[in-house]
Amino acid sequence: MDDIKHDTRGRRQFLAGGAKAAGAIAAGSMAAMQNASAQVNGPEWMHQPGSLSKGYGQPSEFEEKVQRAWGTGYPTVSPGTGASRTPLQSINGSITPSGLHFERHHNGVPKIDPDKHELTLHGMVNQPLVFSVKDLLRYPMVSRVHFIECAGNSGANTLPAAPQQNVQAIHGLFSNTEWTGIPLSILLEEAGVDPQASWLLAEGGDAAAMSRSFPLAKGLGDAMLALYQNGERIRPEQGYPMRLLLPGYQGNMSVKWLRRLKVTNEPTHTKDETSKYTNLLPDGKAHQFPFVLGVKSIITHPSGATKMPGRGFYEISGLAWSGAGRIVKVEVSTDGGASWREAKLDGQPQSKAAVRFRFPWDWTGSPALLQSRATDDEGRVQPSRAAWTPTYSAANRFHNNMIQTWAVAADGGVNNVYA
Ligand SMILES: Nc1nc2c(c(=O)[nH]1)N[C@H]1C(S)=C(S)[C@@H](COP(=O)(O)O)O[C@H]1N2
Ligand SMILES: [Mo]
């Protein structure tokens, strides 16, 4: 209590002194003087105590417009089916807040009671195992930052004409968070995998029973049974009480609400991996199991469907990632790829995780074409539109990692263009 009294007295003395000084400087203008004394006395919220703490915090009410957005193109044939996208234009840094992580549900978000949920590990194992959530919470865990990207992310930019949309609508099926969970290898070792086994099947506990096959090597590698996200238990939309996390693989394979893992010696060819998530090739054949996502970057600031207020300084910034490893370089072009300069990477890039890049830019007011190009530690370089397009059928919408262009017009308007 004493400390608080002292502080208050000190503050009053400071304010009185400050008011005198500011008054002297502003002398001669009544309005300026009133303004100055309002400045010194502080805004209204300094004249009453603030609100009490809340059990669980929310963003400022002035940030209410920062929301996930439902994309178009999802007929509501089955309720809860669709995707909502991360507002990449409104956030900064590299971590996506949990409440803004994009969502893709094939049949809605199940409400799972963790006391009733079980994970079964069976198939080609010495000892089939059934784990309760309570059992799993006692295992040793690891925390790592990883992105999840839907195979359909940026699919709009494979359409014949460039959609006039913002970065959220075009690229928002992408988020990057910290995951904490059990290395899958620990559970597989406990069950004892048959030496003849080579694949795994993962099944979700949603009404879609979404299921995918993945190589056993991935399961024994960096695969994780994730229980926490950004420090708290995984949210229902992201797979509560647990999800499979296959870092760097197409998002679909990170099966949410995981209820079953089966060890096999071949892929199961589930409906989810035969009807979708393949790449259609120019000759009409489909490339199945294109697991590892390409090296990619997108500029989020400035970005599509916004207006730059005028010439002068801008920080061009965005996110870069690779499904194969670590980002080592991001280059930025302001002239549509004629010349490139290296951007600064925020912090130490991690494997299969997004890194924020930043590039200072003085906009002269002339039209400009903004592009970014990422390189990973496997030597993969993000392809141009001209290089990417002939690799696939014109009807293919998946796995678009090509360099993307924002056109800045003389009036400051920013739009998605093909270049
Ligand atoms: N059980 C289950 N797992 C699922 C899905 C689903 O609908 N059901 N959607 C998949 C798809 S297509 C993607 S892109 C990612 C999205 O993860 P997120 O919703 O946490 O962003 O989850 C995958 N895992
Ligand atoms: Mo997806």
Side-chain angles (χ1 to χ4, degrees):
M1 258 332 235
D2 257 16
D3 280 357
I4 292 170
K5 270 186 205 146
H6 281 136
D7 275 347
T8 313
R9 205 163 48 230
R11 172 186 206 90
R12 277 206 208 97
Q13 275 161 7
F14 167 78
L15 288 175
K20 261 183 236 148
I25 293 160
S29 152
M30 196 58 181
M33 218 158 120
Q34 277 164 354
N35 190 26
S37 85
Q39 283 294 327
V40 174
N41 287 331
E44 54 187 288
W45 48 83
M46 290 182 74
H47 296 278
Q48 63 199 23
S51 57
L52 292 176
S53 79
K54 298 183 178 76
Y56 197 98
Q58 292 292 318
S60 162
E61 62 186 88
F62 299 100
E63 299 296 322
E64 241 166 30
K65 280 191 279 194
V66 180
Q67 299 272 341
R68 290 187 283 227
W70 287 88
T72 50
Y74 284 105
T76 46
V77 178
S78 37
T81 302
S84 71
R85 292 150 199 259
T86 295
L88 295 166
Q89 71 282 7
S90 307
I91 59 178
N92 211 316
S94 63
I95 297 292
T96 312
S98 301
L100 296 176
H101 195 284
F102 84 92
E103 305 165 84
R104 172 74 179 101
H105 315 306
H106 289 241
N107 211 331
V109 180
K111 181 171 161 183
I112 297 180
D113 179 345
D115 292 337
K116 294 182 186 150
H117 184 80
E118 285 175 337
L119 172 67
T120 300
L121 174 50
H122 71 129
M124 297 172 70
V125 292
N126 294 337
Q127 178 64 57
L129 298 169
V130 179
F131 303 93
S132 70
V133 177
K134 280 198 185 78
D135 294 338
L136 291 167
L137 288 170
R138 295 185 54 191
Y139 277 73
M141 298 193 195
V142 291
S143 296
R144 291 196 309 252
V145 174
H146 288 300
F147 69 84
I148 294 185
E149 182 180 24
C150 179
N153 193 32
S154 317
N157 268 357
T158 65
L159 293 166
Q164 293 311 296
Q165 291 177 329
N166 67 3
V167 66
Q168 174 170 22
I170 303 169
H171 304 295
L173 296 176
F174 176 85
S175 303
N176 187 63
T177 56
E178 187 200 64
W179 301 94
T180 297
I182 307 164
L184 205 60
S185 58
I186 294 183
L187 304 180
L188 289 168
E189 274 156 29
E190 188 177 345
V193 173
D194 185 323
Q196 301 302 311
S198 51
W199 283 79
L200 281 155
L201 168 73
E203 182 184 75
D206 52 343
M210 237 236 22
S211 311
R212 288 296 307 259
S213 308
F214 63 103
L216 177 62
K218 184 71 172 175
L220 295 170
D222 60 5
M224 188 196 284
L225 179 68
L227 293 148
Y228 296 83
Q229 182 190 24
N230 287 339
E232 64 183 357
R233 293 289 292 282
I234 288 183
R235 295 195 171 189
E237 298 86 341
Q238 265 62 57
Y240 185 88
M242 66 186 73
R243 88 179 297 161
L244 175 65
L245 191 76
L246 299 182
Y249 278 18
Q250 49 178 202
N252 182 256
M253 303 178 71
S254 286
V255 174
K256 302 189 278 190
W257 315 292
L258 187 71
R259 67 178 296 273
R260 190 162 71 94
L261 284 167
K262 185 180 181 189
V263 181
T264 61
N265 58 4
E266 58 186 357
T268 304
H269 296 288
T270 69
K271 68 182 188 314
D272 301 298
E273 57 200 13
T274 51
S275 68
K276 285 195 268 307
Y277 306 109
T278 60
N279 285 328
L280 199 54
L281 303 176
D283 63 4
K285 288 187 178 160
H287 177 206
Q288 200 183 13
F289 301 142
F291 298 148
V292 180
L293 290 165
V295 58
K296 184 164 171 180
S297 65
I298 44 160
I299 294 172
T300 57
H301 306 73
S303 58
T306 60
K307 191 150 182 181
M308 290 161 53
R311 63 187 61 190
F313 175 80
Y314 289 88
E315 181 177 76
I316 296 176
S317 99
L319 294 167
W321 65 94
S322 167
R326 216 163 43 80
I327 290 296
V328 293
K329 182 165 77 173
V330 178
E331 297 154 289
V332 168
S333 175
T334 57
D335 54 16
S339 65
W340 294 93
R341 275 160 62 206
E342 211 166 319
K344 247 177 69 184
L345 303 181
D346 252 4
Q348 195 58 49
Q350 295 161 61
S351 185
K352 303 161 193 177
V355 62
R356 168 81 40 189
F357 63 88
R358 301 182 188 279
F359 182 86
W361 183 44
D362 208 5
W363 184 45
T364 60
S366 316
L369 294 173
L370 310 184
Q371 298 182 333
S372 62
R373 177 170 71 186
T375 303
D376 71 14
D377 61 355
E378 300 261 302
R380 300 182 191 203
V381 182
Q382 186 176 2
S384 65
R385 168 168 289 273
W388 187 90
T389 306
T391 322
Y392 301 104
S393 154
N396 179 56
R397 302 278 167 265
F398 284 133
H399 299 117
N400 172 12
N401 71 323
M402 65 174 99
I403 292 170
Q404 195 244 312
T405 311
W406 299 123
V408 179
D411 70 355
V414 186
N415 277 304
N416 179 40
V417 296
Y418 289 171

